[in-house]
Amino acid sequence: MNYEIVTLPAFRAVGLKWEGIFSEIVPNLKEVIQQTEDRADELKYKVNPSVQLGLSYHVVENGFAHYAVYEVSDEQEIPDGMIEIRVPEWTYVKTTHHKGKDIHKTYADLHQWLFDSDYTALREAGVDYYDPYMPIKHEYCPVDRDPSDPHFDIYIPIIKK
């Protein structure tokens, strides 16, 4: 696996939010992701229309909040039923989950890299997270991915240990 340290500027994103526990992921989360994709044409000011973002925050016990969104410019209004999320400038470790590989292994390898590195996962002040290792996970998913065998970039916000 390749790991790269990158700093991304703050951005604004609009789409749909799902919040729940792990046992509710199928089919609920997949439906929200698909609904966001189906409604993408309502977002006229997408910064990168070929990439849907999956922003996960482990703020739910035994689960997480997930934002299925597209990065948008400030001109974008929020369509009915959608939400906005603003992500600050953060430094991330970036890696890629490749098609045909085991997603659990990709994340296990990333966890090991974090453990062995000079970095630890960022935890926002004043926020209670239930995942001690990777409380925030951002996935950049090509819209033309195969849902049954996806490939995507993973960004984990980090700070120096």
Side-chain angles (χ1 to χ4, degrees):
M1 297 288 294
N2 264 350
Y3 302 96
E4 180 183 359
I5 306 301
V6 298
T7 299
L8 298 181
F11 65 91
R12 175 178 184 246
V14 172
L16 299 174
K17 178 182 179 185
W18 176 84
E19 190 170 302
I21 59 176
F22 293 117
S23 63
E24 298 171 342
I25 290 174
V26 178
N28 300 325
L29 177 55
K30 290 179 187 252
E31 287 175 6
V32 168
I33 292 168
Q34 186 61 52
Q35 288 171 8
T36 299
E37 202 167 303
D38 293 345
R39 295 186 62 190
D41 61 342
E42 296 177 46
L43 302 173
K44 304 294 184 210
Y45 296 97
K46 290 188 287 297
V47 172
N48 187 351
S50 64
V51 176
Q52 186 184 99
L53 307 179
L55 311 179
S56 295
Y57 297 82
H58 292 263
V59 294
V60 176
E61 191 168 6
N62 296 315
F64 56 98
H66 182 90
Y67 298 84
V69 293
Y70 287 89
E71 184 178 349
V72 296
S73 67
D74 287 334
E75 292 83 18
Q76 180 64 55
E77 297 205 9
I78 303 169
D80 286 346
M82 290 193 181
I83 54 87
E84 169 189 62
I85 182 170
R86 291 188 178 263
V87 177
E89 177 180 288
W90 280 335
T91 297
Y92 299 83
V93 57
K94 174 192 175 195
T95 193
T96 299
H97 171 72
H98 296 282
K99 190 176 182 70
K101 301 294 183 182
D102 179 358
I103 292 173
H104 298 293
K105 180 166 180 7
T106 298
Y107 273 106
D109 291 349
L110 179 53
H111 174 257
Q112 187 62 49
W113 182 90
L114 271 172
F115 183 78
D116 294 339
S117 77
D118 295 333
Y119 299 93
T120 189
L122 172 80
R123 301 173 77 80
E124 295 173 286
V127 178
D128 291 327
Y129 292 102
Y130 291 95
D131 182 331
Y133 306 110
M134 285 186 260
I136 303 169
K137 300 176 183 95
H138 291 179
E139 296 178 347
Y140 285 54
C141 306
V143 294
D144 63 353
R145 70 195 174 281
D146 176 354
S148 63
D149 187 13
H151 63 288
F152 51 88
D153 290 332
I154 301 168
Y155 292 81
I156 305 296
I158 55 172
I159 57 170
K160 285 274 195 178
K161 287 182 182 170

